[in-house]
Amino acid sequence: MGFLSGLLGIGGGVVLVPLQYFLLQSSGVNSSLALLISFGTSLAIIIPTSISGAYRHVKDIPEVLHPGIKLGMFGVIGGFIGGLVASISPTQILEYIFGILLIILAVYNLITMNKKAKESTIEINIFLTVFLGLLIGFLSGLLGIGGGVFIIGILSIFLGYSMKEAIGMSSVFICFAAIGGLISYVISGLGVNTLPYSIGYINLIHFGVIILFSVPLAYIGAKVADNVSDKKLTIIYTLVILVMALKILGIIPDF
């Protein structure tokens, strides 16, 4: 999760949420509770992990820092709202939303991968900043992911940014977006009988163990990304989200 976070600027929630969910379910935890714990704990892990990857990306492409921060400021608000909505939404609906959105993004990415990229600049106007920040932040909080899987697709497919620019901007954005969702999962989980050593829906044992490995590996992943072509990064990114989408929808069997 840490390596993919740094390599692809996706936060790692797209990998971490389903894997935690499958682990908790197989341990006998109720599916609704397992999903909310997976979402909340994932967001907590994403924050230090994404900071590690973002630090490396900003060193190489410093111009992604300011637009990433601007998007992230609105992402915090969207993430908080998304987290609250998730706590009162049926589990099965969230699973379908998560899986279907990822499949659509993966298929579209494969279809358009070889098309010539449009000219782009790092500047994003205020309307796009507010709209994308709130929308991706909302999805981040709703689905317990950093939002990188969506913002990278929007920046690279629809706005014409190179994959490396999109990854760099995403890595900065998710540092902020995950905070809003994290707060809402803490608040909505207070008083709920979750797992031992938890704050709300955030399990401290999962958090502590995973970040020991995810933080240093995020930096390594970001360093490796410097030497990988845009096309290869696009292929890896697409395959990762496609496999996880098919798994969470139950189309492919358990790992």
Side-chain angles (χ1 to χ4, degrees), residues 1-2 16 20 23 41-42 45 49 204-217:
M1 170 264 181
L16 193 57
Q20 278 194 107
L23 174 65
T41 306
S42 172
I45 294 165
T49 305
L204 299 179
I205 295 176
H206 283 202
F207 173 79
V209 172
I210 293 173
I211 65 168
L212 286 176
F213 302 95
S214 66
V215 170
L217 281 164

Side-chain angles (χ1 to χ4, degrees), residues 158-241:
F158 300 110
L159 300 183
Y161 288 89
S162 73
M163 197 63 180
K164 288 183 180 179
E165 287 175 336
I167 287 172
M169 208 179 303
S170 171
S171 67
V172 175
F173 167 82
I174 57 182
C175 298
F176 293 88
I179 294 173
L182 171 65
I183 294 170
S184 64
Y185 279 100
V186 170
I187 293 173
S188 61
L190 292 177
V192 176
N193 185 21
T194 60
L195 297 180
Y197 306 105
S198 296
I199 301 175
Y201 289 115
I202 318 303
N203 184 258
L204 299 179
I205 295 176
H206 283 202
F207 173 79
V209 172
I210 293 173
I211 65 168
L212 286 176
F213 302 95
S214 66
V215 170
L217 281 164
Y219 185 87
I220 294 170
K223 191 173 181 179
V224 170
D226 296 341
N227 302 312
V228 179
S229 69
D230 268 16
K231 186 172 182 178
K232 287 181 180 177
L233 287 173
T234 301
I235 292 171
I236 296 169
Y237 161 74
T238 303
L239 290 176
V240 166
I241 63 175

Side-chain angles (χ1 to χ4, degrees), residues 33-235:
L33 180 59
L35 191 63
L36 290 172
I37 292 172
S38 300
F39 285 165
T41 306
S42 172
L43 288 170
I45 294 165
I46 282 168
I47 295 170
T49 305
S50 60
I51 289 172
S52 175
Y55 174 74
R56 174 70 199 191
H57 285 299
V58 170
K59 281 178 65 177
D60 296 319
I61 315 176
E63 58 268 29
V64 302
L65 178 61
H66 292 300
I69 290 175
K70 290 176 183 176
L71 286 165
M73 290 169 63
F74 292 97
V76 171
I77 300 170
F80 180 77
I81 297 170
L84 292 179
V85 171
S87 67
I88 59 174
S89 300
T91 301
Q92 193 171 34
I93 291 177
L94 293 178
E95 290 176 353
Y96 284 132
I97 291 173
F98 192 14
I100 291 169
L101 283 175
L102 291 181
I103 286 177
I104 291 171
L105 184 57
V107 171
Y108 188 85
N109 217 22
L110 287 172
I111 292 172
T112 61
M113 187 167 52
N114 291 317
K115 290 184 179 180
K116 186 178 179 181
K118 299 173 287 185
E119 291 296 321
S120 67
T121 64
I122 298 301
E123 291 297 326
I124 299 179
N125 64 40
I126 186 62
F127 173 78
L128 276 177
T129 298
V130 174
F131 176 73
L132 291 180
L134 290 174
L135 174 63
I136 306 301
F138 178 79
L139 291 173
S140 171
L142 181 70
L143 302 172
I145 60 179
V149 289
F150 299 117
I151 198 165
I152 289 172
I154 290 171
L155 292 173
S156 62
I157 296 171
F158 300 110
L159 300 183
Y161 288 89
S162 73
M163 197 63 180
K164 288 183 180 179
E165 287 175 336
I167 287 172
M169 208 179 303
S170 171
S171 67
V172 175
F173 167 82
I174 57 182
C175 298
F176 293 88
I179 294 173
L182 171 65
I183 294 170
S184 64
Y185 279 100
V186 170
I187 293 173
S188 61
L190 292 177
V192 176
N193 185 21
T194 60
L195 297 180
Y197 306 105
S198 296
I199 301 175
Y201 289 115
I202 318 303
N203 184 258
L204 299 179
I205 295 176
H206 283 202
F207 173 79
V209 172
I210 293 173
I211 65 168
L212 286 176
F213 302 95
S214 66
V215 170
L217 281 164
Y219 185 87
I220 294 170
K223 191 173 181 179
V224 170
D226 296 341
N227 302 312
V228 179
S229 69
D230 268 16
K231 186 172 182 178
K232 287 181 180 177
L233 287 173
T234 301
I235 292 171

Side-chain angles (χ1 to χ4, degrees), residues 14-23 26 239-255:
V14 67
V15 176
L16 193 57
V17 168
L19 291 182
Q20 278 194 107
Y21 178 57
F22 305 142
L23 174 65
S26 67
L239 290 176
V240 166
I241 63 175
L242 184 58
V243 169
M244 286 302 162
L246 294 175
K247 181 65 198 79
I248 206 163
L249 289 172
I251 298 173
I252 58 176
D254 288 343
F255 296 120

